[in-house]
Amino acid sequence: MPKTWTAFTKLADKDKAEALGLALEELDPEPTGIGVFEIEDGSGTWEIGGYFTEAPNEIELALLAAAYDAKSFVVSEVPDTDWVDKVRRELTPVEAGRFFVYGSHDADKIPEGSEPLLIEAAMAFGTGHHGTTQGCLEALDRLASEGFQGRNVADIGCGTAVLAMGAARIWPDPVIASDIDEVAVEVAEANVRANDLGDKVICVEAAGFDNPELHARAPYDLVFANILKQPLIDLAPDMEKHLAPGGYAILSGILTWQADEVVEVYTAHRMPQLRRDVIGEWVTLTLRRNQ
């Protein structure tokens, strides 16, 4: 397997972080991927990283770090790993309410009477093993058990579309799933096909609700948004516009200490908290739009 190197640094200025990410593209050898992320700890720190198939030039990295007032890059060689095999060994099936999330290598373990959701090991982001995804599936199961039936459901920031597929498994009407990332949409579509839900889940590329098909289908009676705190806060005004009166929002990607701020913002947009569930350090919120 080809070797891989990573190079990561941090700084506390969004504009400089984004500019440094662009500057990494000019390196030789060129990185195969670049990421610029805000660290969700309230510190205002940004992490900038690149992935390389050849060892990066550490002198050039040091010069870039100095030019953008960043910390020194930490360069690491990633050991050769068969990631699919690793995921298959380490990701055991997950039960979340009535839902059973599994890889095809565990198809013989599906419990009778469960709602199976197949996510292949090669597409493991959002499989249900993360506390946020599991929390959302459990919230979905709870709503359904209480008699709610979603007739117009959206999954915003869908990743593998496991939440959209969960809704499509238990209710007859089509579900729309969106993600800002083109690759994530392709993964979602592959998972939808693997679960024989091609006629039940529509996948689109969008930032938040910014897609003509998402607009056309509104208002929704249930919206999932399993993303991160700040994107959730930014999404609140559009969520209010697109969620029907009496409709539910299931939100996650929120650390325990961030939940109150998210609830405060959504309450101001007529979506007060109905329930707060915690798995590890992650919170899932169930909200309901005022009539």
Side-chain angles (χ1 to χ4, degrees), residues 127-223:
T127 58
H129 293 78
H130 198 284
T132 61
T133 312
Q134 184 178 347
C136 289
L137 286 172
E138 290 178 353
L140 169 61
D141 176 71
R142 189 178 304 111
L143 279 180
S145 296
E146 292 170 354
F148 173 76
Q149 178 172 312
R151 293 180 172 83
N152 193 15
V153 178
D155 182 4
I156 305 298
C158 65
T160 57
V162 65
L163 302 178
M165 293 192 299
R169 273 271 187 256
I170 61 175
W171 295 321
D173 295 294
V175 177
I176 188 165
S178 71
D179 201 284
I180 194 171
D181 183 81
E182 180 182 358
V183 174
V185 175
E186 292 173 358
V187 168
E189 290 174 335
N191 284 321
V192 167
R193 290 192 297 271
N195 284 270
D196 295 323
L197 291 170
D199 60 341
K200 295 284 299 294
V201 180
I202 301 148
C203 300
V204 299
E205 186 177 344
F209 289 94
D210 190 15
N211 178 282
E213 191 154 6
L214 281 166
H215 288 306
R217 289 175 172 270
Y220 298 96
D221 54 10
L222 173 60
V223 176

Side-chain angles (χ1 to χ4, degrees), residues 16 20 60-73:
K16 286 185 178 180
L20 178 53
E60 290 186 0
L61 289 173
L63 291 172
L64 282 177
Y68 290 92
D69 298 322
K71 294 184 177 181
S72 298
F73 277 89

Side-chain angles (χ1 to χ4, degrees), residues 14-98:
K14 178 182 177 181
D15 292 338
K16 286 185 178 180
E18 292 176 345
L20 178 53
L22 291 173
L24 283 175
E25 296 179 3
E26 305 302 320
L27 290 179
D28 185 16
E30 182 179 350
T32 57
I34 294 168
V36 179
F37 307 97
E38 184 178 10
I39 299 173
E40 289 284 321
D41 61 0
S43 67
T45 302
W46 291 74
E47 185 172 70
I48 307 94
Y51 297 84
F52 301 81
T53 54
E54 299 178 51
N57 187 316
E58 295 195 37
I59 294 175
E60 290 186 0
L61 289 173
L63 291 172
L64 282 177
Y68 290 92
D69 298 322
K71 294 184 177 181
S72 298
F73 277 89
V74 176
V75 179
S76 304
E77 182 178 342
V78 180
D80 291 347
T81 304
D82 184 337
W83 291 105
V84 172
D85 182 64
K86 179 180 174 66
V87 168
R88 283 176 174 163
R89 291 196 311 271
E90 295 184 359
L91 293 190
T92 54
V94 168
E95 293 186 67
R98 72 191 70 192

